Amino acid sequence: MKHLTLHFDRGVETVTLNRPEVRNAFNDEVIAELTAVFSELAKRPEVRCVVLAGNGPAFCAGADLNWMKSMADYGREENLADAAGLARMLEALYHCPLPTIARVQGDTYAGGMGLVAACDIAVSVDTAQFCLSEVKLGLIPATISPYVIRAMGARAAHRYFLTAERFGAEEAQRIGFVHQVVKAEALDGAVTALAQSLVSAGPEAVKACKKLLHDVAGHEITAGLVRRTVEGIADIRASDEGREGIQSFLGKRKPTWLLP
């Protein structure tokens, strides 16, 4: 990988944006690498959890300025193709069956907000600043909007999409965009604790639970949805992992899926 570093340790794969000289801004190469990585990690049974991190003072500043310059004269078809690449990357992250944690060690702007929002859990340092800056450039945060609006809620999105204000980590937590805010020295400990909770759970149950969240959140409670939830619990109870979980609990022993 040219723009990413990968590190695996006891079930946790850490994917780090490694362009600190441009505040981890992304271009077409970074987008392609992230898409490939998240698509590949989903196929690796030894990986139980993915942490998305950034190297340097910023988590991700959005689009690379040089990349934006190269797109200045694009026509509609070229812009469609370019936006589709970003959309595929966000889909690969959001729909990755593995649980994902955004480790936000610094400022996060524009497209970087999409990366955080597409993760399941987000932990931020208290000094990080956030901004959906697109309208200041005469643009809109269209491609990232499905994920960001889900993360912060429509009401907060109305304000921050339209004003392009910067806001701090405490506000990001208040509106639900990040789950936890910590001092810089406590960031790794907080992320590790969450990752350990995830890798200690039944791996197939975690995947099924993530799919459940996608299937249920924001959807109307219909007879079809209720039926799928009934089928979901019945299927997981009858699975090998479900049986092992219940038997280990009743037998007061550790389940076999725990890592040594």
Side-chain angles (χ1 to χ4, degrees), residues 90-175:
L90 291 169
E91 283 185 300
L93 173 53
Y94 183 73
H95 289 292
C96 178
L98 302 166
T100 53
I101 302 171
R103 177 191 179 276
V104 183
Q105 93 295 358
D107 293 348
T108 304
Y109 298 151
M113 297 276 289
L115 291 175
V116 175
C119 290
D120 297 304
I121 302 170
V123 183
S124 173
V125 293
D126 58 354
T127 55
Q129 293 285 306
F130 299 85
C131 185
L132 292 149
S133 55
E134 284 84 351
V135 294
K136 287 186 176 180
L137 303 177
L139 305 173
I140 58 174
T143 313
I144 66 172
S145 63
Y147 310 97
V148 176
I149 293 172
R150 278 176 173 80
M152 67 167 55
R155 190 62 174 165
H158 273 267
R159 173 174 178 173
Y160 292 114
F161 276 40
L162 294 170
T163 66
E165 299 169 79
R166 291 186 184 185
F167 57 94
E170 288 187 6
E171 174 68 356
Q173 184 178 33
R174 186 189 72 80
I175 63 178

Side-chain angles (χ1 to χ4, degrees), residues 218-243:
H219 292 270
E220 184 181 352
I221 301 175
T222 63
L225 178 61
V226 171
R227 183 180 65 254
R228 290 196 298 275
T229 64
V230 169
E231 292 171 351
I233 188 61
D235 290 343
I236 202 76
R237 282 176 180 169
S239 70
D240 291 342
E241 185 175 284
R243 292 178 186 278

Side-chain angles (χ1 to χ4, degrees), residues 33-67:
E33 287 185 13
L34 282 169
T35 304
V37 163
F38 279 97
S39 299
E40 182 60 31
L41 289 177
K43 304 172 186 176
R44 289 174 50 190
E46 73 275 16
V47 181
R48 304 271 191 93
C49 167
V50 183
V51 174
L52 181 60
N55 183 23
F59 175 75
C60 179
D64 183 284
L65 291 177
N66 290 324
W67 184 46

